[in-house]
Amino acid sequence: MSVGEKEQTAPGAGGRGRLDKRRAIVEAALRVFAQVGYAQASLDVIAAEAGVSKPTIYNHLGSKENLFRHVMTETAARSNAKTLDVLTAFPTDPDDLRPGLEDVAQKLVDCYCDEQSESVRRLLHAEAVRFPDLFDAVRASGPNQFTEALAGRLARLANSGHLRVEDPVRAANQFIALVYEELPGMSALGTRPLDPTEVGKVVAAGVDTFLRAFGTDPSGTAPEKGGAAKP
């Protein structure tokens, strides 16, 4: 079913609560903005996609610009919550360093490559000239938080002698780049499905390169004590 073809809820078929309507509006707006861009998107089409009336959108989120800003920041924050959950499995045992980092990297890539995250990323870059402040706001509510959290984990590994890291934030950015940056080109910015086997190869190669750069042993399997990170 394409944008604008979603069925409206029949009168008397059971109403949705305020939060349900708001969530439906946000998700519908993201789909419409992602398919046709900010300039071409209309509140009439978004309302039809969400199964609500146009005045309902105004009541919940105001103008199209305000709706766009809310959609971008809320979706980024939701995506960020999922990526932060990835770090609950971050390795602390040197014997599990390589497989642990590969597991974290694979889960991170899965989060980054889901449909909503890819849509926000495309829109963020496409509309950066129109909304330069929004670019910074979305980065602050999403990727920057994850990078800081990852940097903290890397610093702890360095302080315990399992990695050699002088700048944890830079190392975190480089880890993300090594395991992810090939993928947008492979997926045409999220518009084509990725081959899981190829994704696995990218992740494994990225972790291997990271450990060769920051590990205390080139194999990443026998770390030695030393090389603490700056707090």
Side-chain angles (χ1 to χ4, degrees):
M1 184 177 293
S2 64
V3 166
E5 293 180 346
K6 191 169 183 176
E7 289 184 354
Q8 299 279 348
T9 303
R16 289 178 289 179
R18 182 174 179 82
L19 291 178
D20 288 340
K21 286 183 180 179
R22 189 182 184 92
R23 182 67 175 263
I25 292 167
V26 169
E27 292 182 352
L30 178 61
R31 290 193 295 272
V32 175
F33 286 132
Q35 290 190 29
V36 302
Y38 175 81
Q40 297 301 315
S42 76
L43 292 183
D44 289 316
V45 173
I46 292 171
E49 179 75 1
V52 300
S53 67
K54 187 174 176 179
T56 298
I57 294 180
Y58 284 117
N59 289 339
H60 280 265
L61 293 158
S63 66
K64 184 172 86 167
E65 178 179 335
N66 190 64
L67 172 61
F68 182 74
R69 289 177 178 278
H70 182 83
V71 165
M72 295 293 283
T73 54
E74 180 175 304
T75 307
R78 251 193 341 253
S79 296
N80 187 52
K82 291 197 302 183
T83 58
L84 287 172
D85 283 344
V86 167
L87 295 179
T88 59
F90 198 84
T92 57
D93 185 341
D95 293 333
D96 294 330
L97 191 56
R98 181 184 296 276
L101 288 177
E102 287 186 0
D103 181 58
V104 166
Q106 183 63 61
K107 290 175 179 175
L108 174 63
V109 164
D110 290 343
C111 289
Y112 278 6
C113 292
D114 84 352
E115 185 177 354
Q116 290 194 341
S117 295
E118 292 282 22
S119 294
V120 167
R121 201 170 293 114
R122 288 196 304 273
L123 283 165
L124 191 63
H125 288 86
E127 304 297 341
V129 173
R130 192 190 306 269
F131 299 106
D133 61 315
L134 185 60
F135 185 93
D136 294 332
V138 171
R139 293 286 304 176
S141 68
N144 290 353
Q145 289 183 20
F146 178 81
T147 300
E148 290 288 342
L150 176 59
R153 268 66 170 188
L154 295 176
R156 284 199 286 274
L157 284 174
N159 287 328
S160 60
H162 302 145
L163 291 176
R164 294 177 294 106
V165 175
E166 293 184 357
D167 185 337
V169 173
R170 179 162 292 164
N173 278 314
Q174 290 172 340
F175 178 83
I176 294 167
L178 285 168
V179 303
Y180 171 72
E181 286 303 319
E182 283 186 61
L183 302 180
M186 292 168 61
S187 68
L189 301 180
T191 61
R192 289 198 298 254
L194 287 163
D195 180 347
T197 301
E198 292 304 311
V199 173
K201 290 178 181 178
V202 171
V203 166
V207 170
D208 182 68
T209 301
F210 181 83
L211 287 174
R212 288 181 182 278
F214 295 103
T216 55
D217 181 87
S219 69
T221 58
E224 299 173 358
K225 296 291 181 184
K230 296 177 182 178

